[in-house]
């Protein structure tokens, strides 16, 4: 029997693989996804506030507003994390000169970074202001030209409630000066790209995809994120956060999050839903290695965005908070792997706000120990196993009850929490 709830059922014949970055908002923690239309699979490989992606010969750089700039290898494993100024990162691209160009929206500039060693060395200023006046967002590099999309040419975009003066602007990388305004009077442009030597971009507030001066698709929702595999365009759609900006102009707007697969020649499109609220960048990765998820490690830092891969079920955990991740269910676990026989497991965690709460430890579904919490201090416990274990190992914690910060601390946090875990290691 055909499963009509399978989101891939309507995309037979498409073999494209996409890398999709999703920002964090109030209803979604954000993350990095791989969509494989050939294998009919979607996988969330990182949990972070993800924005621009820059491809290079050895992998990818990923701009986040939660973990700085991440360096990923070709299998999408984090190989380095770079702290950068907190400036609301958006677009990210690598130039042939080896320098990384990162849009720093709240600084109204494009930061220029060398990658070996990683260091901010210069910037391209859009105006004299060090605040978000123009709302620059995406960038594209062609030769020695940098193409930027921004919400306003004159600045003060937050006060332009009715009509924005958005532009696509060209800057000279060598002189760092404005060369040309290619498109103007745009309504919240994003995702400027060159496809077959022609410029495309999303005019987000007008819910469309444009090729230079021509609207080639009206898509019904807030458009952001653009890629093409030569046959179809892949256009992201995000949940629109300020409906008052659009509902005065049109009768309705879609508030679904997903990707439109557009056949521009036939002028038809289909919609692929995403388990997120916002989409930022879409990248074609058909040459990626199929086994992109590395075998589980022997130690896991629960606040690391890469740890998402190794949770038995992400629904059982909240998103990271500081250096810890709270349990969201009474029972939550992780997947580890021992390459050699191990006899001990070490867990670093902090107690919940309930006194005398208990937690059971299970290894491969076998109960190992009971932990009695008598205070709220951070604790490190090492447990000795009865038998040596090797290979894939599941480590699970089970608490007697969950607690709510709202009830215990009197704040507005209504989450249900168990134990907050920092690190789990097998030795």
């Amino acid at each position: 029997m055909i499963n009509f709830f399978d989101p891939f059922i309507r995309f037979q014949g498409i073999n494209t693989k996409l890398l999709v970055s999703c920002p964090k908002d109030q209803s979604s923690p954000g993350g990095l996804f791989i969509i494989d239309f050939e294998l009919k699979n979607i996988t969330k490989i990182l949990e972070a506030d993800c924005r621009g992606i820059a491809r290079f010969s050895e992998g990818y750089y990923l701009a986040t507003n939660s973990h700085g700039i991440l360096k990923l290898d070709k299998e999408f494993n984090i190989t380095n994390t770079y702290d950068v100024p907190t400036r609301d990162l958006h677009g990210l691209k690598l130039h042939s000169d080896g320098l990384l160009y990162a849009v720093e929206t709240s600084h109204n500039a494009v930061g220029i970074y060398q990658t070996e060693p990683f260091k901010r060395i210069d910037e391209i200023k859009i105006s004299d202001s060090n605040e978000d006046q123009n709302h620059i967002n995406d960038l594209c590099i062609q030769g020695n030209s940098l193409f930027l999309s921004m919400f306003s040419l004159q600045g003060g975009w937050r006060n332009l409630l009715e009509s924005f003066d958005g532009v696509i602007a060209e800057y000279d990388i060598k002189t760092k000066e404005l060369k040309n305004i290619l498109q103007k009077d745009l309504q919240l442009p994003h995702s400027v790209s060159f496809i077959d030597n022609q410029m495309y971009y999303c005019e987000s507030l007008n819910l469309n995809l444009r090729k230079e001066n021509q609207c080639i698709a009206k898509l019904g929702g807030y458009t952001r994120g653009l890629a093409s595999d030569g046959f179809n365009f892949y256009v992201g759609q995000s949940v629109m956060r300020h409906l008052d900006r659009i509902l005065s102009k049109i009768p309705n707007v879609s508030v679904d999050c997903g990707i439109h697969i557009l056949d521009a020649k036939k002028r038809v499109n289909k919609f692929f839903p995403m388990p997120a609220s916002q989409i930022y960048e879409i990248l074609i990765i058909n040459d990626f290695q199929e086994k992109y998820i590395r075998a589980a490690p022997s130690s896991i830092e629960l606040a690391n965005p890469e740890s998402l891969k190794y949770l038995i079920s992400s629904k059982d955990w909240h998103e990271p908070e500081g250096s810890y991740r709270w349990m969201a269910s009474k029972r939550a676990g992780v997947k580890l792997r021992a390459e050699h026989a191990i006899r001990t497991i070490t867990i670093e965690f902090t107690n919940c706000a309930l006194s005398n709460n208990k937690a059971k430890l299970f290894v491969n579904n076998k109960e190992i120990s009971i932990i009695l919490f008598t205070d709220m201090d951070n604790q490190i416990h090492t447990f000795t196993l009865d038998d040596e274990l090797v290979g894939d190992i599941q480590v699970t914690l089970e608490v007697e009850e969950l607690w709510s910060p709202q009830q215990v601390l009197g704040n507005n946090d209504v989450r249900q929490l168990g134990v907050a875990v920092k690190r789990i290691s097998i030795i």
Side-chain angles (χ1 to χ4, degrees):
M1 178 181 295
I2 296 176
N3 179 6
F4 289 98
F5 293 98
D6 180 358
F8 292 94
I9 199 68
R10 302 174 61 244
F11 301 99
Q12 304 297 325
I14 297 179
N15 298 321
T16 300
K17 302 173 182 67
L18 304 176
L19 186 65
V20 182
S21 66
C22 296
K24 176 182 178 179
D25 69 6
Q26 291 182 349
S27 59
S28 173
L32 189 65
F33 293 81
I34 289 176
I35 305 174
D36 190 328
F37 285 96
E38 183 176 15
L39 297 180
K40 298 178 175 55
N41 181 60
I42 179 171
T43 304
K44 187 176 183 180
I45 58 174
L46 294 178
E47 189 170 277
D49 184 1
C50 299
R51 304 297 176 94
I53 309 170
R55 191 199 308 259
F56 70 108
S57 60
E58 298 175 4
Y60 306 86
Y61 290 99
L62 173 65
T64 82
N65 285 323
S66 55
H67 297 79
I69 294 178
L70 305 180
K71 185 178 182 181
L72 312 177
D73 63 20
K74 290 183 177 180
E75 296 179 337
F76 304 101
N77 298 291
I78 298 173
T79 59
N80 220 324
T81 301
Y82 304 108
D83 290 330
V84 295
T86 305
R87 293 176 174 171
D88 193 15
L89 297 181
H90 277 68
L92 186 71
K93 287 294 179 287
L94 190 69
H95 187 231
S96 58
D97 60 10
L99 298 178
L100 195 63
Y101 291 77
V103 173
E104 301 171 342
T105 303
S106 65
H107 187 56
N108 224 47
V110 177
I112 304 174
Y113 294 79
Q114 69 180 29
T115 58
E116 295 294 341
F118 197 92
K119 181 181 179 182
R120 190 180 191 277
I121 59 172
D122 207 346
E123 66 182 16
I124 298 175
K125 285 294 290 180
I126 307 307
S127 72
D128 292 335
S129 175
N130 289 328
E131 298 179 351
D132 179 8
Q133 290 295 323
N134 304 90
H135 200 76
I136 52 174
N137 48 66
D138 285 316
L139 74 162
C140 179
I141 295 176
Q142 292 283 98
N144 286 316
S145 287
L146 186 71
F147 299 87
L148 289 174
S149 52
M150 62 182 77
F151 284 6
S152 174
L153 178 61
Q154 66 179 346
W157 69 275
R158 296 183 188 277
N159 298 319
L160 303 176
L161 299 179
E162 294 297 328
S163 182
F164 291 89
D165 62 328
V167 299
I168 306 294
E170 180 183 5
Y171 282 78
D172 188 296
I173 285 180
K174 293 184 177 180
T175 66
K176 304 179 180 62
E177 298 293 330
L178 176 65
K179 289 178 61 177
N180 195 12
I181 299 297
L182 301 176
Q183 302 293 328
K184 60 182 180 179
D185 297 324
L186 301 176
Q187 302 295 292
L188 309 191
H190 284 96
S191 310
V192 57
S193 307
F194 279 84
I195 301 171
D196 294 331
N197 295 317
Q198 293 182 299
M199 187 176 68
Y200 291 79
Y201 56 93
C202 294
E203 193 180 16
S204 304
L205 192 58
N206 279 338
L207 320 180
N208 64 31
L209 170 65
R210 301 184 69 87
K211 180 174 71 173
E212 299 179 352
N213 292 317
Q214 177 189 5
C215 175
I216 64 171
K218 197 82 170 179
L219 296 168
Y222 191 87
T223 51
R224 184 176 60 197
L226 172 63
S228 173
D229 60 8
F231 300 98
N232 298 297
F233 290 97
Y234 299 84
V235 186
Q237 177 179 298
S238 297
V239 175
M240 191 162 182
R241 289 174 286 197
H242 301 285
L243 292 174
D244 57 316
R245 292 176 177 170
I246 188 64
L247 290 180
S248 62
K249 302 178 181 180
I250 61 173
N252 65 286
V253 62
S254 171
V255 290
D256 292 323
C257 179
I259 297 174
H260 293 277
I261 290 83
L262 169 68
D263 185 327
K265 292 182 179 179
K266 295 181 180 179
R267 295 170 65 183
V268 296
N269 61 281
K270 297 178 180 179
F271 187 73
F272 182 88
M274 287 282 294
S277 297
Q278 303 289 318
I279 290 177
Y280 194 83
E281 184 148 358
I282 303 171
L283 202 64
I284 305 289
I285 54 166
N286 274 26
D287 57 349
F288 85 109
Q289 298 184 29
E290 298 292 346
K291 295 182 179 178
Y292 53 84
I293 297 182
R294 180 182 294 167
S298 60
S299 180
I300 181 173
E301 300 275 349
L302 272 292
N304 189 318
E306 198 175 38
S307 68
L308 186 75
K309 299 179 185 180
Y310 310 116
L311 306 182
I312 294 175
S313 173
S314 60
K315 295 185 296 184
D316 295 334
W317 297 91
H318 289 290
E319 60 183 281
E321 183 177 325
S323 59
Y324 289 83
R325 189 189 287 265
W326 286 95
M327 297 168 63
S329 302
K330 289 185 178 180
R331 188 180 175 99
V334 302
K335 296 174 286 188
L336 298 174
R337 182 173 178 81
E339 298 298 337
H340 307 286
I342 60 101
R343 290 295 299 266
T344 61
I345 293 177
T346 300
I347 305 177
E348 184 173 351
F349 47 80
T350 186
N351 179 26
C352 64
L354 296 175
S355 60
N356 299 320
N357 194 24
K358 293 181 181 179
K360 294 181 180 179
L361 171 66
F362 296 85
V363 176
N364 292 344
N365 293 319
K366 178 182 178 182
E367 185 177 326
I368 300 300
S369 182
I370 297 178
I371 310 159
L372 177 63
F373 296 106
T374 57
D375 56 55
M376 294 176 58
D377 293 336
N378 298 342
Q379 302 179 41
I380 300 176
H381 286 241
T382 297
F383 306 91
T384 301
L385 306 177
D386 294 334
D387 302 305
E388 290 186 341
L389 295 178
V390 68
D392 294 330
I393 297 173
Q394 291 189 359
V395 180
T396 306
L397 288 168
E398 182 180 276
V399 296
E400 286 188 329
E401 55 185 314
L402 301 175
W403 66 283
S404 169
Q406 184 184 55
Q407 295 175 340
V408 176
L409 304 176
N411 57 25
N412 295 322
D413 189 348
V414 298
R415 292 177 301 166
Q416 294 293 302
L417 308 178
V419 171
V421 182
K422 181 176 183 179
R423 179 188 297 108
I424 301 179
S425 305
I426 53 179
I427 301 174

